[in-house]
Amino acid sequence: AQKVTQAQTEISVVEKEDVTLDCVYETRDTTYYLFWYKQPPSGELVFLIRRNSFDEQNEISGRYSWNFQKSTSSFNFTITASQVVDSAVYFCALSDLNTGFQKLVFGTGTRLLVSP
Amino acid sequence: EPEVTQTPSHQVTQMGQEVILRCVPISNHLYFYWYRQILGQKVEFLVSFYNNEISEKSEIFDDQFSVERPDGSNFTLKIRSTKLEDSAMYFCASKAETQYFGPGTRLLVL
C-alpha cells in the first residue's frame, strides 16, 4: 500500500526566512511519481511539481526547490526567502507510474504561515 | 491556459437529498477523477474514470455515489441520498500527464 507522511502539521516563519517542508513516502512500486500541491486559503489545489522515481536530480524553480532522495524515501520542498503569499497548506502526494489511472495518495498536509 | 471548472462552488442540502456535482475537465484530457477533502483533513481519492467507465474506486465510493460523463464535456458526481458525513469539499481533476484540479465544490449536508 502507498502512504505519504508529512510530519509537520504547521510551520510558522517570518518573511524572508527559508523553510523546508518534509515528505516521506512508502510504496512497493519500483516506479512512481511524486508531487507537491499548494492549497491557498481560497481552497483550490495548485500543482507545483511532478517527479518520477527515475530522476533523483534536485529541481529549482525560482524560490522553490525540491530534494528527492530515494535512499530515505523523501521528497522535501524548500521555499527560499519566504513571502506572505506563500502562506498555504502544502500537500505531498504519490502515484504509481505503471498504469494510466494513477490515483493520487496525499499526505495530511503542512500548513505554512508566513508573517510579515 | 485551460483549466478544470466545477459547479456549483457551494451547495447546501438536506440529509437524504440527492446532489449532483458538475465538472468540466480540460478538453484534451482522457482521465478524470473525483476526490474529497473533509474540512481540515487530507485529500482522499474517490474514483477514477477512463474510456467511459470507472477504472478504480475507493472504499468511500459506495453505492450512494455514481459518476457519469453524459456528453463530451461534463463529468458529474452524484450522491443519491446525502448523509451528514458527506459534508466536504469535492474536487474534480483531469489528466493528460499530470492531474490538474478544479476549484472544488463545498458541500454542506444539514
Side-chain angles (χ1 to χ4, degrees):
Chain A
Q2 298 178 323
K3 184 178 178 182
V4 176
T5 301
Q6 295 180 256
Q8 304 153 308
T9 307
E10 185 169 307
I11 300 175
S12 292
V13 298
V14 177
E15 214 170 14
K16 297 183 184 174
E17 283 185 19
D18 299 347
V19 59
T20 295
L21 310 181
D22 297 334
C23 172
V24 174
Y25 62 92
E26 296 174 31
T27 180
R28 291 180 183 160
D29 295 325
T30 54
T31 55
Y32 46 89
Y33 283 121
L34 293 162
F35 303 80
W36 277 94
Y37 285 85
K38 173 182 179 179
Q39 187 173 44
S42 49
E44 70 271 28
L45 286 166
V46 179
F47 167 75
L48 295 179
I49 189 172
R50 181 188 76 171
R51 299 306 301 273
N52 72 53
S53 51
F54 301 128
D55 184 2
E56 284 192 71
Q57 277 197 333
N58 291 336
E59 180 154 342
I60 298 174
S61 175
R63 294 184 298 107
Y64 295 170
S65 62
W66 290 271
N67 184 345
F68 175 30
Q69 295 209 347
K70 219 167 174 177
S71 60
T72 55
S73 297
S74 65
F75 186 44
N76 296 338
F77 173 30
T78 297
I79 301 174
T80 303
S82 58
Q83 299 175 1
V84 173
V85 293
D86 296 326
S87 296
V89 180
Y90 291 86
F91 290 97
C92 181
L94 169 70
S95 78
D96 70 81
L97 201 150
N98 298 318
T99 71
F101 313 125
Q102 296 170 3
K103 70 176 184 189
L104 292 173
V105 174
F106 284 84
T108 50
T110 297
R111 181 178 300 278
L112 175 65
L113 298 172
V114 183
S115 54
Chain B
E1 186 175 319
E3 57 184 22
V4 178
T5 59
Q6 289 185 243
T7 53
S9 58
H10 294 79
Q11 173 108 34
V12 180
T13 191
Q14 296 291 323
M15 192 168 57
Q17 295 296 304
E18 174 182 287
V19 294
I20 298 176
L21 310 183
R22 292 183 167 79
C23 168
V24 179
I26 295 173
S27 62
N28 63 339
H29 287 185
L30 299 178
Y31 300 89
F32 313 113
Y33 307 82
W34 285 100
Y35 293 81
R36 81 170 185 191
Q37 184 183 29
I38 295 172
L39 188 63
Q41 298 187 22
K42 69 177 178 181
V43 180
E44 301 173 287
F45 168 77
L46 290 178
V47 65
S48 59
F49 192 85
Y50 171 74
N51 201 25
N52 281 320
E53 60 183 25
I54 291 174
S55 49
E56 187 175 357
K57 58 184 181 180
S58 71
E59 293 175 353
I60 304 168
F61 194 89
D62 61 22
D63 292 343
Q64 293 300 314
F65 291 88
S66 63
V67 289
E68 213 176 34
R69 189 157 160 82
D71 53 42
S73 59
N74 290 287
F75 179 50
T76 61
L77 173 70
K78 182 193 291 186
I79 310 175
R80 287 192 186 81
S81 177
T82 51
K83 298 177 262 194
L84 295 176
E85 54 265 37
D86 293 328
S87 295
M89 178 79 99
Y90 288 81
F91 290 104
C92 172
S94 70
K95 180 178 85 71
E97 291 190 358
T98 296
Q99 289 185 40
Y100 289 91
F101 286 79
T105 293
R106 189 170 296 282
L107 176 65
L108 179 60
V109 183
L110 302 175

